[in-house]
Amino acid sequence: MSLRHAVLGLLERRPSTGYELTQTFDRSLRTSWQARHSQIYPELAKLEAAGLVEVVGHGARRSKTYAITPTGRAELRRWLVEAQPDRSQRNESGLRLFLTPLLEQADRRATYQRDLAHVEHELSALKELRSGMAPATDPEVFAPQVELGIRINGVLRDWLLEQIDRAGEPEGSHQ
Amino acid sequence: MSLRHAVLGLLERRPSTGYELTQTFDRSLRTSWQARHSQIYPELAKLEAAGLVEVVGHGARRSKTYAITPTGRAELRRWLVEAQPDRSQRNESGLRLFLTPLLEQADRRATYQRDLAHVEHELSALKELRSGMAPATDPEVFAPQVELGIRINGVLRDWLLEQIDRAGEPEGSHQ
DNA sequence: AGTACCATGTAAGCCGTTACATGATTCT
DNA sequence: AGAATCATGTAACGGCTTACATGGTACT
């Protein structure tokens, strides 16, 4: 049940409305955790009922601003520091990479090429982000996280280039 | 709906029983896609009804061996080559990493240390796997995949070491 | 005979996505 | 006045996990 803690974490950074949280999920958490507004609003209601967050203001258009409570802060800390992390993940890209060797040479190459194009795109977007970041930066984005993204995508790019290279050899020639 | 294609992919490698597939998911697909037997058996039944797999043998203990059909093979290829990949992923570790900067120094350090221990563990397991791999290896494991895992975990290790180093500085000193 | 493991299935409940629905504010 | 965007909610459906349930085979 990570959604709850993702919301608590974002509210620990700053009080927000459900609408703002929805945007933050999409902007900053896209790569590790997603949530639509249809999930966020009910979760905020549950968190409020449990006393982990509270409404601290009403704005235009019936908007409600939520803030984390001391209880919520304690629960967030407990989850981050004491709870057994769930290391499992679910990503279709990893599955595809695992199955791609089953394809015949031409398809395999094409598939790797497509993945490479995507990785290059991610990479340039992240580098763009890094270069445009003020010294004391947009609190939305943490510099080390961006750096990690760049490095992982770099490794992926190199690996894909090697696979494409190998797929250029005659079928079965890689002993 | 990747479960279906994961099963097709594993059956493309070799005909298997549901029980064997369950084990393969746990051994080889653990890092990108998981599935329990309670999901696999019904999925095999659906795939058979759709003509994408077929029962090719009955073994001991009422076990059924499934194989992929030509239709199933075509569908697998279509998914791998033509379908729009779903790049989204869901991993709690990424979320934790994103929220860890919110913790106070001591907790932050401890959390990174715990992650580092886990990464080191993964890394040595993968290196073990690599060194124990025959030249024409266990078809269960593909060498390039192992190599990719090693590289990604290497990047993670270095990054964590840097974060731990930074968390050693007095609070707030990293401009 | 008892234990461990092989092997397959079903049911309840939670989580997440897509779609439906409504109202408020701003801009042109 | 109409369109776009802000803002919040609910409902239906499907996927996945946990738990329940059963029987077969091998080993000691």
Side-chain angles (χ1 to χ4, degrees), chain B:
Chain B
M1 206 181 22
S2 300
L3 172 66
R4 143 160 304 186
H5 299 100
V7 169
L8 286 174
L10 294 183
L11 290 179
E12 168 76 6
R13 295 167 74 197
R14 89 185 66 89
S16 313
T17 66
Y19 189 80
E20 288 165 343
L21 289 177
T22 304
Q23 289 177 105
T24 307
F25 266 95
D26 197 45
R27 275 197 236 111
S28 306
L29 244 38
R30 192 176 15 90
T31 53
S32 57
W33 206 266
Q34 310 155 253
R36 318 268 172 208
H37 76 272
S38 59
Q39 217 184 341
I40 290 168
Y41 290 119
E43 187 62 40
L44 282 169
K46 274 187 247 165
L47 284 167
E48 193 192 3
L52 303 181
V53 306
E54 60 186 346
V55 176
V56 292
H58 294 265
R61 285 169 255 210
R62 295 182 302 161
S63 73
K64 284 179 281 182
T65 301
Y66 290 88
I68 192 168
T69 64
T71 317
R73 197 168 288 117
E75 167 57 21
L76 175 61
R77 184 197 167 276
R78 190 201 60 74
W79 182 75
L80 279 171
V81 179
E82 290 162 26
Q84 193 65 20
D86 177 2
R87 313 270 181 189
S88 71
Q89 50 178 323
R90 197 161 232 114
N91 66 312
E92 208 182 273
S93 302
L95 175 61
R96 282 171 181 277
L97 245 32
F98 183 80
L99 297 179
T100 301
L102 296 173
L103 292 170
E104 56 180 275
Q105 198 191 24
D107 284 340
R108 200 163 66 238
R109 263 183 85 90
T111 303
Y112 285 140
Q113 293 279 10
R114 182 185 57 182
D115 291 344
L116 181 61
H118 181 259
V119 166
E120 298 276 22
H121 185 264
E122 283 288 292
L123 210 44
S124 61
L126 284 168
K127 283 178 177 169
E128 178 75 17
L129 228 186
R130 179 176 60 179
S131 72
M133 238 159 29
T137 191
D138 180 11
E140 204 68 55
V141 176
F142 298 120
Q145 245 83 14
V146 173
E147 186 57 33
L148 179 59
I150 288 172
R151 293 190 201 171
I152 287 180
N153 276 287
V155 163
L156 258 172
R157 183 194 52 199
D158 294 345
W159 185 86
L160 283 168
L161 283 170
E162 289 170 28
Q163 302 316 305
I164 290 167
D165 203 50
R166 291 181 71 223
E169 298 167 22
E171 194 78 30
S173 77
H174 39 79
Q175 6 103 33

Side-chain angles (χ1 to χ4, degrees), chain A residues 52-138:
Chain A
L52 303 180
V53 306
E54 59 185 347
V55 177
V56 292
H58 294 264
R61 283 169 258 213
R62 295 182 301 162
S63 74
K64 284 179 279 183
T65 300
Y66 290 87
I68 193 168
T69 64
T71 317
R73 196 167 287 119
E75 167 57 20
L76 175 61
R77 186 198 167 274
R78 189 201 61 74
W79 182 75
L80 278 171
V81 180
E82 289 161 27
Q84 192 65 19
D86 177 2
R87 312 272 182 188
S88 71
Q89 51 179 321
R90 200 161 230 114
N91 66 313
E92 207 182 275
S93 303
L95 174 61
R96 282 170 181 277
L97 245 31
F98 183 82
L99 297 178
T100 301
L102 296 171
L103 292 171
E104 56 179 275
Q105 199 191 23
D107 283 341
R108 201 163 64 237
R109 263 185 85 88
T111 304
Y112 285 140
Q113 293 278 10
R114 183 185 56 183
D115 290 343
L116 181 61
H118 181 259
V119 167
E120 298 276 22
H121 185 263
E122 283 289 291
L123 210 44
S124 60
L126 285 168
K127 283 179 177 169
E128 177 74 17
L129 229 185
R130 179 176 59 181
S131 71
M133 237 158 32
T137 191
D138 180 11

Side-chain angles (χ1 to χ4, degrees), chain A:
Chain A
M1 206 182 21
S2 300
L3 173 65
R4 142 162 306 189
H5 299 99
V7 169
L8 287 175
L10 294 183
L11 290 181
E12 168 75 7
R13 295 167 75 197
R14 90 185 65 90
S16 314
T17 66
Y19 189 81
E20 287 165 343
L21 289 177
T22 304
Q23 290 176 105
T24 307
F25 267 95
D26 196 45
R27 277 197 234 112
S28 306
L29 243 39
R30 192 177 15 89
T31 54
S32 57
W33 207 266
Q34 310 153 254
R36 317 268 173 209
H37 76 272
S38 59
Q39 218 184 339
I40 289 168
Y41 290 119
E43 187 62 40
L44 282 169
K46 275 187 247 165
L47 284 167
E48 193 193 2
L52 303 180
V53 306
E54 59 185 347
V55 177
V56 292
H58 294 264
R61 283 169 258 213
R62 295 182 301 162
S63 74
K64 284 179 279 183
T65 300
Y66 290 87
I68 193 168
T69 64
T71 317
R73 196 167 287 119
E75 167 57 20
L76 175 61
R77 186 198 167 274
R78 189 201 61 74
W79 182 75
L80 278 171
V81 180
E82 289 161 27
Q84 192 65 19
D86 177 2
R87 312 272 182 188
S88 71
Q89 51 179 321
R90 200 161 230 114
N91 66 313
E92 207 182 275
S93 303
L95 174 61
R96 282 170 181 277
L97 245 31
F98 183 82
L99 297 178
T100 301
L102 296 171
L103 292 171
E104 56 179 275
Q105 199 191 23
D107 283 341
R108 201 163 64 237
R109 263 185 85 88
T111 304
Y112 285 140
Q113 293 278 10
R114 183 185 56 183
D115 290 343
L116 181 61
H118 181 259
V119 167
E120 298 276 22
H121 185 263
E122 283 289 291
L123 210 44
S124 60
L126 285 168
K127 283 179 177 169
E128 177 74 17
L129 229 185
R130 179 176 59 181
S131 71
M133 237 158 32
T137 191
D138 180 11
E140 206 67 55
V141 176
F142 297 120
Q145 244 82 15
V146 172
E147 186 58 32
L148 179 60
I150 289 173
R151 292 190 201 171
I152 287 181
N153 275 289
V155 163
L156 257 171
R157 183 194 52 199
D158 294 345
W159 185 86
L160 283 168
L161 284 169
E162 289 170 29
Q163 302 315 305
I164 291 167
D165 204 49
R166 291 180 72 224
E169 297 166 23
E171 195 76 33
S173 77
H174 39 80
Q175 9 107 32

